Amino acid sequence: MGTRIRMFAAVTAITAGILGGAAATPASAAPASYVSLAPQDETVIDVTSANYDQVMEMSKTKPVVLDFYASWCGPCQKMAPYLEKYHAADNGKWIWAKVDLSEQGQNKEVADKYGIEYIPTLIDVSSGQEKGSRVVGFDEGSGPDDLRTWLNGL
């Protein structure tokens, strides 16, 4: 039995080397929800100071929703599934530009440009400029309907 385990480990290591990553053993394999085989959606972008200007250029042809959030933010985590659902339903009508503020100082330059004080905050950007109202915070009661209404106005 020990030989089979060593052989499995060797085959796993060789496969990882060929594929350019670490292959997981069945006991440590990631849940299916973490693995995505779908192609990258070009209308969902992780915004940083480095690509911010490119995102603003994109806003000249399609509305951009700047989503200021953090992984530790409860309301952000509650809003995210609705944003994902509505973005998918809108078939790329708008660009979901996610600005992660999880680490202190992370994307501070971008957040400072918009005077972000609370998260989640959603900002509608068109032609490189903020347009219309903002969504600040998320309430599970009326939040999903309010969010849908706001996104319909893009």
Side-chain angles (χ1 to χ4, degrees):
M1 187 69 148
T3 303
R4 285 187 184 163
I5 293 173
R6 282 191 298 274
M7 185 182 303
F8 178 79
V11 169
T12 302
I14 292 169
T15 302
I18 292 170
L19 297 177
T25 60
S28 64
S33 62
Y34 293 113
V35 179
S36 175
L37 300 177
Q40 180 73 7
D41 184 345
E42 294 177 6
T43 62
V44 179
I45 300 168
D46 291 317
V47 179
T48 64
S49 295
N51 70 355
Y52 172 80
D53 290 336
Q54 292 171 307
V55 173
M56 290 303 103
E57 279 299 310
M58 297 169 91
S59 76
K60 293 178 180 177
T61 59
K62 191 178 285 199
V64 168
V65 173
L66 285 175
D67 174 14
F68 292 89
Y69 76 99
S71 60
W72 46 260
C73 167
C76 301
Q77 299 308 312
K78 290 176 182 174
M79 180 191 286
Y82 294 102
L83 276 170
E84 187 173 346
K85 174 183 169 182
Y86 299 149
H87 183 262
D90 289 345
N91 294 315
K93 172 185 163 194
W94 48 276
I95 295 169
W96 184 9
K98 303 192 294 185
V99 186
D100 189 357
L101 305 176
S102 295
E103 300 294 325
Q104 185 173 358
Q106 183 178 7
N107 295 316
K108 183 178 179 352
E109 288 179 32
V110 179
D112 286 350
K113 285 180 196 249
Y114 294 93
I116 301 302
E117 294 182 18
Y118 305 101
I119 54 175
T121 294
L122 301 179
I123 299 175
D124 176 12
V125 177
S126 184
S127 298
Q129 300 293 316
E130 182 173 350
K131 177 186 143 201
S133 64
R134 294 180 174 198
V135 172
V136 179
F138 186 75
D139 171 30
E140 283 188 283
S142 62
D145 293 335
D146 293 345
L147 178 59
R148 178 74 265 180
T149 299
W150 185 80
L151 291 169
N152 286 342
L154 297 178

